[in-house]
Amino acid sequence: MKLLLVFLIVFVSGCAAKGPAFSESSLPDDGHPLIFVYRPCNWVGSAATLLIQFNSDELRSLKNCGFVRLRTSPGAQRVQVLARGFQSWGAPEPLVEFEAVANQTYFVRYTASASFIPSGAGGLIPLSSSTFMEVDNATGLQEIRALNLSD
């Protein structure tokens, strides 16, 4: 049993982002908006790497405890989690759309959660869900400080 627990800890910890830590020195000042998509540390879905698509062409991998960033042009922005593998079960792919302004920073957070409901046989049925949403800058800055670059 202990060996299994050690294996699981090593396996899951290997799935976390290991790039440089977030730094506020990278905030925009060159006329371009900057979008951060981040994923706070969470055991639910921690082994899965998400594929984030920016404006239908730019792709980035987002790991647990990580963030990705995109310096873009002002105007309409589309940020989406693309389903792949076991994630592709027919549900709509999470999407956030907004208008970006020059020299502004935007934060989009992905979180997963799990719950259980009792089954008729006395067991539990696991349920999982996720949220993908734009958050205000104060919240985004506070939460992203503990994360590392994913790609």
Side-chain angles (χ1 to χ4, degrees):
M1 181 65 173
K2 287 183 183 181
L3 183 60
L4 178 61
L5 182 59
V6 169
F7 172 77
L8 286 174
I9 290 171
V10 170
F11 175 75
V12 171
S13 67
C15 301
K18 299 196 183 332
F22 174 78
S23 168
E24 290 185 46
S25 65
S26 63
L27 296 180
D29 63 358
D30 63 354
H32 292 89
L34 185 59
I35 303 170
F36 287 96
V37 179
Y38 69 98
R39 184 176 169 191
C41 297
N42 190 339
W43 284 96
V44 177
S46 61
T49 298
L50 303 175
L51 189 59
I52 306 298
Q53 184 175 44
F54 291 96
N55 298 322
S56 301
D57 55 17
E58 185 82 26
L59 297 174
R60 305 282 170 88
S61 294
L62 179 60
K63 294 184 175 184
N64 192 37
C65 305
F67 69 90
V68 294
R69 62 182 168 218
L70 179 71
R71 190 173 304 280
T72 188
S73 299
Q77 304 298 317
R78 180 182 171 94
V79 183
Q80 188 165 24
V81 178
L82 298 181
R84 56 187 186 159
F86 73 91
Q87 300 163 337
S88 181
W89 54 276
E93 295 174 320
L95 171 67
V96 172
E97 295 179 301
F98 58 92
E99 289 290 321
V101 177
N103 292 327
Q104 295 296 311
T105 303
Y106 300 88
F107 294 91
V108 178
R109 177 179 59 210
Y110 175 88
T111 54
S113 61
S115 60
F116 298 90
I117 59 171
S119 73
L124 295 174
I125 299 171
L127 300 174
S128 65
S129 64
S130 63
T131 58
F132 190 60
M133 59 186 276
E134 185 178 358
V135 297
D136 63 85
N137 283 11
T139 301
L141 276 171
Q142 179 182 358
E143 293 179 340
I144 203 170
R145 285 187 179 117
L147 306 178
N148 294 341
L149 185 64
S150 276
D151 51 12

